[in-house]
Amino acid sequence: MEDSGDSHMKIINGEAGYVLEDVPHLTDYIPDLTTYPNPLQVNPAYSTVKQYFVDMDDTVSQKVVVHKDGPRGLHFRRAGPRQNVYFRPDDVHACIVTCGGLCPGLNTVIREIVCGLYHMYGVRNVLGIDGGYRGFYSKNTIPLTPKFVNDIHKRGGTILGTSRGGHDTSKIVDSIQDRGINQVYIIGGDGTQKGAAVIYEEIRRRGLKVAVAGIPKTIDNDIPVIDRSFGFDTAVEEAQRAINAAHVEAESTENGIGVVKLMGRYCGFISMYATLASRDVDCCLIPESPFYLEGKGGLFEFIKRRLKENGHMVIVIAEGAGQDLVSESLQSLDQQDASGNRLLQDVGLWISQRIKAHFAKENKMNITLKYIDPTYMIRAIPSNASDNVFCTLLAHSAVHGAMAGFTGFTVGSVNGRHSYIPFNRITEKQNKVVITDRMWARLLSSTDQPSFLRPKVVNKQEKPSIQLLNDNLKDTKQ
């Protein structure tokens, strides 16, 4: 077994290339902790379950497809209830905090953590931290009970409030210590999970018996390792309404164009899946696939051809797409929000104006363009049925992990099985659409749009996107 350093992640190697990236446990730094029988054994809800508990040796493979002679590969510890717990229900003082931007399903996760602690383990002391990380030391807490959270899943947003930034680790852990909190459930994106990792490290340094569990939240689905993040299904489903509206507007006029901007600061998963699900989209533009406007093979040429063929078209663009082009034309300042995210220009508005100007000046073609930006409407809606079920499983998995003494972990679905994942694995990079993968090829064949890049240029992924485009333009002219 090897220790990975600051994250305290344990690497366990087995036969046939088996590798387990294990998560920390309270007993790693507090030896001889008392254990208690898991209350689920006497819970009427579980009386008909044949196997109450997950075996301690159960792990989940990150890679499903392997070769017969290849290594078994990387694994994570399987989530679920254990036979023994490290907290007596009466001694648990849990808290829940939500950070970052809004996402469908936040209230459902809050509800199911509260109800899971109450109904599965008999925990009666659960607090909600008001207003994100800074709420630990600058705002009041909210007592949470099953009655209080009963119908919050029907509302969008988060009943606890949220914020960006405001992360003072020492003050947060002081507040946790002063309030006697011993389970912390943190719901947020990669920046929030990085903060959770730092909070865990400080708790460990102080030797506190406090379990820190993360539930990853990103509407963009840009967190690696996990299958998907909660709220993504709802976002794709709701995006269909905007796409449908754009399609109705476009086909109702001669040379009608509908432009829909969707979420996706650094990745285009929502745009890609919404396009594939819709079948009304003629062109999908995402951050991972650079594009250009003018010249042979450019967007303007494609728009002109599609309008001649169908008389209308719909364009879906992710908010982070084409930012190099926008910055060149608008000379934008490199500004950031409180979480350190780059503030993006409105690429949807920009591309709409460029399309209008081009066809008014160059081609003398009269077009009618409608621009729809549903991003904040999508973020604020309640989660759909699929996400509600998924949120329930994530919340219960986090509760089982914390009660079993695991800490410094985030929970997520890996190949359909819920797992405990070390914080550093989900914060080390961002999940992005791979434009050399089959899924992007399926989209291109579905929309019949240009890829904007020739195959030999696609293989040069180490170059900046603007350089890729310059190379492509040179190839086109030759």
Side-chain angles (χ1 to χ4, degrees):
M1 182 174 73
E2 302 170 5
D3 196 310
S4 66
D6 292 340
S7 69
H8 299 285
M9 178 181 68
K10 295 173 287 187
I11 306 296
I12 299 173
N13 295 297
E15 296 180 358
Y18 172 94
V19 179
L20 169 63
E21 287 197 358
D22 206 358
V23 295
H25 194 273
L26 291 173
T27 55
D28 293 343
Y29 63 94
I30 309 178
D32 303 321
L33 279 177
T34 304
T35 60
Y36 310 94
N38 194 318
L40 288 179
Q41 294 179 83
V42 293
N43 190 316
Y46 280 73
S47 61
T48 59
V49 178
K50 292 182 179 179
Q51 184 177 344
Y52 298 130
F53 308 117
V54 171
D55 192 287
M56 284 300 291
D57 290 331
D58 282 357
T59 58
V60 178
S61 174
Q62 183 179 9
K63 190 175 181 180
V64 172
V65 180
V66 296
H67 297 290
K68 63 178 182 178
D69 298 325
R72 291 175 61 187
L74 190 62
H75 290 66
F76 301 105
R77 191 167 290 280
R78 183 184 176 191
R82 266 56 180 180
Q83 189 165 359
N84 292 313
V85 296
Y86 285 78
F87 296 91
R88 291 198 321 168
D90 292 343
D91 296 336
V92 173
H93 289 73
C95 74
I96 305 171
V97 64
T98 55
C99 304
L102 295 182
C103 175
L106 279 168
N107 280 335
T108 307
V109 174
I110 294 168
R111 182 189 190 280
E112 296 310 321
I113 291 174
V114 174
C115 292
L117 285 167
Y118 263 71
H119 299 318
M120 291 192 298
Y121 288 98
V123 172
R124 295 293 179 264
N125 296 307
V126 186
L127 294 176
I129 304 300
D130 186 12
Y133 274 141
R134 64 170 59 97
F136 274 102
Y137 49 85
S138 65
K139 292 198 176 186
N140 294 326
T141 57
I142 305 169
L144 300 177
T145 64
K147 184 176 180 180
F148 183 83
V149 301
N150 182 53
D151 62 351
I152 64 173
H153 62 290
K154 299 175 183 177
R155 292 180 253 162
T158 164
I159 61 161
L160 300 180
T162 185
S163 64
R164 295 186 183 275
H167 187 275
D168 188 318
T169 306
S170 182
K171 286 184 178 180
I172 290 172
V173 179
D174 286 346
S175 176
I176 290 170
Q177 198 167 359
D178 292 344
R179 296 177 190 274
I181 292 170
N182 51 22
Q183 289 185 10
V184 183
Y185 297 92
I186 300 173
I187 311 168
D190 58 347
T192 301
Q193 300 301 313
K194 287 177 183 177
V198 176
I199 291 170
Y200 156 71
E201 293 290 345
E202 177 62 17
I203 286 172
R204 178 170 179 141
R205 188 187 69 81
R206 298 188 189 187
L208 305 178
K209 185 188 175 184
V210 179
V212 179
I215 296 93
K217 175 230 63 168
T218 166
I219 201 170
D220 296 343
N221 201 39
D222 60 356
I223 291 181
V225 179
I226 62 176
D227 297 338
R228 63 183 173 95
S229 50
F230 73 83
F232 177 72
D233 273 4
T234 305
V236 171
E237 183 176 299
E238 189 66 16
Q240 302 300 294
R241 301 180 190 273
I243 292 172
N244 183 61
H247 183 248
V248 170
E249 288 282 356
E251 69 175 355
S252 298
T253 58
E254 183 181 4
N255 294 328
I257 300 175
V259 176
V260 180
K261 185 182 79 172
L262 296 175
M263 292 81 71
R265 179 179 292 272
Y266 302 110
C267 70
F269 284 106
I270 291 178
S271 295
M272 180 173 71
Y273 277 84
T275 295
L276 284 166
S278 170
R279 305 294 175 179
D280 286 331
V281 179
D282 297 276
C283 187
C284 177
L285 303 172
I286 62 173
E288 297 90 336
S289 182
F291 64 94
Y292 55 98
L293 301 178
E294 300 180 8
K296 184 174 177 58
L299 180 62
F300 291 153
E301 181 188 72
F302 175 65
I303 293 174
K304 183 178 180 180
R305 187 177 86 233
R306 188 52 56 92
L307 289 177
K308 286 184 176 180
E309 292 171 351
N310 297 340
H312 65 274
M313 76 174 298
V314 175
I315 299 171
V316 166
I317 185 166
E319 62 182 324
Q323 288 295 319
D324 289 338
L325 301 177
V326 181
S327 298
E328 279 187 347
S329 62
L330 298 182
Q331 297 181 342
S332 61
L333 299 175
D334 190 13
Q335 298 177 324
Q336 296 180 334
D337 64 16
S339 295
N341 297 315
R342 178 186 171 196
L343 292 177
L344 303 178
Q345 298 291 331
D346 189 338
V347 69
L349 184 61
W350 172 83
I351 202 168
S352 297
Q353 292 170 342
R354 288 297 304 271
I355 292 171
K356 290 178 185 177
H358 174 81
F359 284 98
K361 181 179 180 181
E362 299 295 332
N363 292 295
K364 308 298 182 185
M365 179 184 285
N366 293 322
I367 64 167
T368 302
L369 187 145
K370 302 294 184 183
Y371 171 46
I372 299 175
D373 179 0
T375 53
Y376 288 104
M377 293 177 65
I378 293 174
R379 295 177 201 272
I381 64 172
S383 51
N384 64 11
S386 173
D387 270 326
N388 272 337
V389 174
F390 189 49
C391 289
T392 301
L393 298 178
L394 288 172
H396 286 188
S397 293
V399 168
H400 291 316
M403 290 297 296
F406 293 111
T407 182
F409 70 89
T410 192
V411 64
S413 175
V414 179
N415 292 319
R417 294 285 186 178
H418 285 252
S419 311
Y420 298 139
I421 306 164
F423 279 133
N424 68 296
R425 284 305 312 276
I426 65 162
T427 59
E428 62 189 4
K429 65 178 182 179
Q430 288 180 312
N431 190 29
K432 294 187 176 185
V433 174
V434 179
I435 61 173
T436 55
D437 203 359
R438 290 193 192 95
M439 188 59 79
W440 185 244
R442 293 183 184 112
L443 181 140
L444 295 178
S445 62
S446 173
T447 60
D448 195 28
Q449 71 184 65
S451 68
F452 299 107
L453 292 173
R454 293 191 172 193
K456 73 174 184 178
V457 182
V458 172
N459 292 330
K460 301 176 184 177
Q461 287 299 306
E462 70 278 2
K463 290 189 177 182
S465 59
I466 198 70
Q467 182 62 47
L468 285 171
L469 292 176
N470 289 336
D471 287 352
N472 193 53
L473 286 171
K474 289 178 184 177
D475 291 342
T476 303
K477 292 176 182 177
Q478 290 175 355

